[in-house]
């Protein structure tokens, strides 16, 4: 043992009020605080990310010391710890375990990482590679995909939720930052999530002031194609009223990108009172949730002139004559929710399915906060777009690890969960301390005697990642 400084820490003993003195020393053993990167590295061996990135070496690169694949894999390893800033790579340059776990020869420096991403971001070739390999990994590892079941015949659909989420980048001069609909300066990227687990299959960075429907039809078609790389189950596209466009419905009706859909309608010039009158005249389903509140459910076929055909519209009309506190309204308050849909199910089922679309807000939150991606690290728009695609790969890797633990019994958490939050996976499985042991040409991770997540880590590596054992 080698002392690095003559320093002592004093703490009070609870039993007899005596002071316990800790001497601070530095040893010569290789310890790591991020053992979970071994799981990430094992998952990445099922992809061709490193090979495909290496194949994109341009003439101007002139055989760099650190390959494109090593740069890309190193940044994924960084993101999987919830670190996105380029400077965060510096502590890992001398960390043997970081390179060994991710199967890279050398870890790039912060300037190398920044310059390389700036160089390759312009042609967007890496973006497609990352999305394709991410989708292929979900399929290859048979990651759990939980569908929704409808009707007495138990029809099965995998939800595909597409939505925009503003990224707050206030007080910065980054390229593309502008006023978002949330009233802050930043970006407005769009995401596509598959199944109840919320695997991200597609993303695109957009300027903050860009309308949510701009180029969205192409994004929808692309997202359906990526989802088809993962599953052949019927898809159920869900979008909010900002994407009430005939072009989105047309994509879903197209034979090449066919999918069922629930899209909330934008009432535009229609009034809630007009829908209330229609509901009363049609004698639709009526229920009184409480005194002073009436709810009407119904559906009808509505001609869509852009598509030259009729599309089913489901509606829920709420009429309130007084509030919960008994306050009587001089004029009844009327709310109207209407949806375009291709499903034949009852109106209340359509409404419930659409409201489940709100879960995608949690997925946005995990990308923005748990992976530290809200304030993107580069000043260049194309580079930030590439970083967002790297974030999708890291997000899906952590999601796969987290979802596999929900089926395990040896998890030191009392509360059972249908979905593990990304932060939970990082805190409990990725940032897990161990000692790196090299013996007889083998590498071992030796965990502490009281490591509560060791059993889970061990079972996971044996069952899902045989390359670790």
């Amino acid at each position: 043992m080698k002392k690095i400084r003559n320093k002592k820490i004093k703490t009070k003993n609870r039993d007899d009020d005596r002071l316990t003195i800790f001497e601070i020393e530095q040893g010569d053993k290789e310890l790591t605080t991020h053992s979970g990167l071994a799981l990430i590295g094992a998952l990445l061996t099922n992809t061709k990310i490193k090979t495909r990135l290496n194949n994109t070496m341009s003439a101007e690169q002139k055989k760099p010391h650190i390959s494109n694949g090593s740069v890309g894999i190193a940044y994924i390893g960084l993101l999987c710890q919830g670190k996105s800033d380029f400077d965060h790579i510096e502590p890992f340059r001398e960390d043997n375990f970081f390179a060994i776990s991710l199967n890279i020869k050398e870890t790039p420096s912060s300037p190398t990482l920044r310059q390389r991403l700036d160089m390759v971001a312009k042609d967007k070739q890496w973006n497609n590679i990352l999305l394709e390999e991410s989708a292929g990994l979900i399929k290859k590892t048979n990651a759990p995909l939980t569908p929704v079941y409808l009707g007495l015949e138990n029809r099965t659909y995998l939800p595909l939720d597409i939505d925009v989420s503003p990224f707050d980048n206030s007080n910065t001069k980054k390229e593309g930052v502008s006023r978002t609909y949330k009233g802050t300066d930043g970006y407005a990227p769009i995401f596509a999530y598959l199944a109840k687990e919320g695997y991200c299959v597609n993303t695109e960075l957009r300027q903050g002031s860009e309308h949510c429907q701009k180029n969205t039809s192409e994004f929808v078609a692309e997202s359906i194609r990526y989802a088809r790389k993962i599953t052949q189950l019927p898809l159920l596209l869900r979008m909010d009223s900002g994407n009430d466009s005939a072009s989105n419905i047309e994509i879903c009706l197209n034979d090449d990108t066919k999918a069922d859909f629930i899209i909330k309608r934008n009432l535009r010039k229609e009034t809630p009172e007009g829908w209330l009158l229609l509901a009363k005249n049609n004698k639709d389903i009526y229920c009184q949730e409480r005194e002073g509140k009436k709810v009407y459910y119904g559906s009808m076929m509505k001609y869509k002139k852009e598509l030259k055909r009729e599309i089913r519209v489901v509606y829920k009309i709420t009429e309130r004559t007084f509030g919960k506190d008994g306050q009587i309204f001089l004029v009844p308050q009327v709310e109207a929710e209407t949806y375009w849909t291709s499903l034949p199910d009852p109106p209340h089922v359509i409404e419930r399915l659409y409201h489940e679309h709100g879960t995608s807000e949690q997925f946005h939150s995990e990308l923005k906060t748990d992976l530290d991606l809200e304030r993107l690290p580069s000043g260049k728009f194309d580079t930030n777009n590439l970083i967002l695609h790297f974030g999708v790969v890291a997000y899906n890797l952590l999601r796969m690890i987290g979802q596999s633990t929900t089926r395990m019994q040896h998890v030191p958490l009392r509360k059972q969960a249908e979905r593990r939050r990304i932060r939970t996976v990082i805190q409990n499985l990725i940032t897990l301390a161990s000692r790196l042991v090299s013996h007889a040409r083998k590498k071992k991770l030796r965990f502490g005697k009281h490591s509560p997540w060791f059993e889970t880590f061990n079972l996971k590596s044996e069952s899902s990642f045989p390359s670790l054992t």
Side-chain angles (χ1 to χ4, degrees), residues 116-132:
R116 191 69 58 83
L117 296 188
D118 286 344
M119 182 185 300
V120 301
K122 297 176 184 178
D123 62 5
K124 299 182 180 179
Q125 191 175 357
W126 281 29
N127 299 1
N128 297 329
I129 291 173
L130 292 171
L131 291 177
E132 288 171 5

Side-chain angles (χ1 to χ4, degrees), residues 1-150:
M1 302 286 285
K2 178 183 69 174
K3 285 190 179 182
I4 58 173
R5 63 173 68 92
N6 187 15
K7 183 176 180 182
K8 297 181 180 180
I9 297 178
K10 298 180 180 180
T11 60
K12 185 172 288 188
N13 190 304
R14 293 182 179 178
D15 297 329
D16 53 11
D17 291 336
R18 288 184 300 174
L19 293 178
T20 301
I21 301 175
F22 291 96
E23 294 188 2
I24 307 303
E25 297 180 343
Q26 184 177 26
D28 55 0
K29 305 297 183 183
E30 286 194 82
L31 307 178
T32 178
T33 59
H34 38 273
S35 304
L37 288 184
L39 301 177
I40 299 297
L43 275 173
L44 287 173
T45 59
N46 294 296
T47 72
K48 297 180 181 178
I49 291 179
K50 186 162 64 172
T51 303
R52 293 184 66 182
L53 294 186
N54 283 336
N55 290 337
T56 64
M57 303 283 273
S58 61
E60 59 182 295
Q61 290 183 269
K62 298 179 180 178
K63 296 182 179 180
H65 178 63
I66 299 180
S67 67
N68 284 351
S70 294
V71 170
I73 296 296
Y75 194 56
I76 291 173
L78 197 64
L79 286 171
C80 285
Q81 300 175 71
K83 301 174 181 180
S84 62
D85 195 271
F86 299 129
D87 286 341
H88 291 158
I89 198 72
E90 291 297 331
F92 299 101
R93 295 184 64 192
E94 304 299 326
D95 186 341
N96 289 332
F97 175 75
F98 185 83
I100 292 170
S101 63
L102 297 175
N103 193 28
I104 57 178
K105 292 182 179 179
E106 194 169 347
T107 304
S109 65
S110 172
T112 298
L113 183 58
R114 179 188 296 275
Q115 293 165 12
R116 191 69 58 83
L117 296 188
D118 286 344
M119 182 185 300
V120 301
K122 297 176 184 178
D123 62 5
K124 299 182 180 179
Q125 191 175 357
W126 281 29
N127 299 1
N128 297 329
I129 291 173
L130 292 171
L131 291 177
E132 288 171 5
E133 291 299 323
S134 179
L137 179 62
I138 295 172
K139 180 177 178 61
K140 189 172 183 179
T141 57
N142 293 319
L145 299 169
T146 305
V148 294
Y149 301 95
L150 296 176

Side-chain angles (χ1 to χ4, degrees), residues 209-227:
S209 58
E210 197 167 288
H211 190 276
C212 62
Q213 181 53 32
K214 186 176 180 181
N215 299 326
T216 295
S217 300
E218 294 82 357
F219 182 85
V220 170
E222 193 178 55
S223 300
I224 292 175
R225 293 190 189 101
Y226 281 124

Side-chain angles (χ1 to χ4, degrees), residues 337-352:
E337 299 176 33
T338 65
Y339 310 94
W340 298 110
T341 185
S342 59
L343 298 178
D345 300 275
H348 69 278
V349 175
I350 303 299
E351 183 220 8
R352 174 181 60 80

